[in-house]
Amino acid sequence: KYKLLALLCDKIISSQGDDYVFNRFFNLSYLYKDILHEQKFVFLQHGVIQNDLSRWLTRPNKDISLFVTTTKMEYQSILDYGYYYDESQVKCTGLPRYDYLYDSSSGKKVITFMPTWRSYLAGNYDIQKDSRVLKSGFENSTYCKMYQQIFVDSRLYEAAEKYGYALKLMLHPTMPRECIEYFKCDDVLEILDRGTKYKDLFAFTNLLVTDYSSTVFDFAYLRKPVIYYQQDFEEFYSGKHTVDKGYFDYERDGFGEVEYTSETLIQRIIEYMKNGCCLKNVYRERIERTFLYHDKNNCKRVYEEIMKL
């Protein structure tokens, strides 16, 4: 049915850029090349691109007709890096989902840890577990140890109790749930379910702690503080993972402090607990400079650009 619809449609509109979304025929696509050539692929995106994804999203690979972007720097990076698109395909409209972000953290005290995934630690997909499989040796990885160091530190929980904060963990959906056992945190943190909606997580959270996740752009859009924890920076950008270092510099462009050790991260989290997790002016100014729009008209702008195709 999908193949039939794919042949009949004029536009394919998706937040995913994988080949199976817009080409269900793979090595038989030459049989339908006259039809496929006429179609338009609209890439809504599933996050703000902060790294160099040109190896994946380059025009010869995807031939995107409308490439949605959200920030000024992201828009310019798609034009400047080796994606091979121009102003006729790349538009800075904002992510449609930003229209539905909301804040319900008033009167609450919640700090959420949200580490991103590591392709070199997650193996093939296991249908029975509905998850990827952890690769052997995970317990000795820098990724495992850097989070374990945080979650076994009693100072974190003593401060949380003193200042009245709840601590939560949202594991990346691509990382196997067994990570939690190695992190040694299942009995001290609330582990959020995989089905938790990110917009709800952003709404009830006061402070977000991540390593490299681009979802902090959503959080920053709500004018809330972030801390980056990057003990494995060199390893993450060594080529072992799926991304290359892009235009975004966490120290220069990030929406919060960058910490490289568990010791400084714990100190920084406690500092934010003391000041009520208030967004600092330096990061508020960065947020204002980063986003081209600060409204609820992202869907409207995307719709209008689609209609122009």
Side-chain angles (χ1 to χ4, degrees), residues 102-297:
Y102 69 102
D103 184 6
S104 66
S105 61
S106 179
K108 298 176 184 176
K109 289 188 171 184
V110 177
I111 296 174
T112 301
F113 294 86
M114 201 166 69
T116 192
W117 76 301
R118 306 292 190 274
S119 61
Y120 48 89
L121 298 176
N124 295 327
Y125 187 79
D126 185 328
I127 295 178
Q128 300 300 320
K129 293 183 177 181
D130 188 25
S131 172
R132 288 176 181 254
V133 179
L134 271 185
K135 292 187 177 180
S136 60
F138 174 81
E139 65 274 17
N140 297 317
S141 67
T142 307
Y143 177 74
C144 178
K145 291 179 179 178
M146 64 187 272
Y147 282 104
Q148 191 181 90
Q149 289 166 8
I150 293 297
F151 297 139
V152 300
D153 197 313
S154 61
R155 290 174 299 171
L156 179 65
Y157 307 104
E158 290 168 0
E161 183 176 359
K162 178 179 178 180
Y163 296 105
Y165 279 88
L167 304 176
K168 302 177 187 286
L169 171 65
M170 183 65 174
L171 200 65
H172 192 282
T174 309
M175 288 303 287
R177 302 294 281 182
E178 296 97 293
C179 289
I180 296 166
E181 300 172 21
Y182 291 106
F183 288 166
K184 299 181 179 179
C185 63
D186 53 342
D187 59 343
V188 288
L189 270 74
E190 179 186 346
I191 311 300
L192 295 172
D193 185 81
R194 283 174 63 183
T196 303
K197 293 183 178 180
Y198 280 85
K199 69 184 178 85
D200 296 335
L201 182 157
F202 299 143
F204 63 66
T205 298
N206 301 87
L207 171 67
L208 191 66
V209 182
T210 187
D211 38 31
Y212 311 97
S213 178
S214 64
T215 57
V216 299
F217 281 86
D218 300 49
F219 199 67
Y221 199 75
L222 294 170
R223 310 307 191 267
K224 293 185 176 186
V226 174
I227 303 176
Y228 300 94
Y229 180 37
Q230 299 182 347
Q231 192 177 132
D232 65 341
F233 184 88
E234 295 298 329
E235 181 179 11
F236 186 81
Y237 285 111
S238 67
K240 294 170 64 175
H241 191 46
T242 58
V243 299
D244 298 316
K245 189 77 176 73
Y247 68 91
F248 192 86
D249 185 288
Y250 295 93
E251 295 273 7
R252 183 193 64 210
D253 307 317
F255 309 122
E257 292 86 354
V258 183
E259 305 298 346
Y260 300 99
T261 68
S262 60
E263 178 66 27
T264 57
L265 177 62
I266 292 291
Q267 293 175 4
R268 187 68 68 186
I269 293 173
I270 294 174
E271 174 197 318
Y272 270 96
M273 287 182 185
K274 289 179 179 178
N275 70 19
C277 289
C278 291
L279 179 64
K280 298 176 182 178
N281 287 335
V282 60
Y283 301 118
R284 185 180 298 277
E285 291 169 3
R286 283 188 192 178
I287 292 169
E288 299 298 333
R289 292 196 304 267
T290 297
F291 294 100
L292 183 60
Y293 302 105
H294 299 273
D295 56 27
K296 297 287 186 180
N297 295 318

Side-chain angles (χ1 to χ4, degrees), residues 41-45 47-49 64-80 83-96 290-293 297-309:
F41 175 44
V42 176
F43 185 40
L44 295 177
Q45 291 243 44
V48 174
I49 294 176
I64 297 169
S65 300
L66 174 58
F67 199 130
V68 169
T69 61
T70 303
T71 74
K72 302 171 188 176
M73 289 188 292
E74 180 196 26
Y75 169 80
Q76 199 60 46
S77 75
I78 305 303
L79 297 177
D80 293 344
Y83 292 87
Y84 303 109
Y85 297 101
D86 58 35
E87 291 89 346
S88 64
Q89 294 102 20
V90 185
K91 304 295 179 180
C92 192
T93 59
L95 283 175
T290 297
F291 294 100
L292 183 60
Y293 302 105
N297 295 318
N298 300 286
C299 289
K300 181 175 183 289
R301 283 187 290 270
V302 172
Y303 170 79
E304 290 172 346
E305 291 297 338
I306 291 174
M307 296 306 292
K308 291 176 184 176
L309 291 177

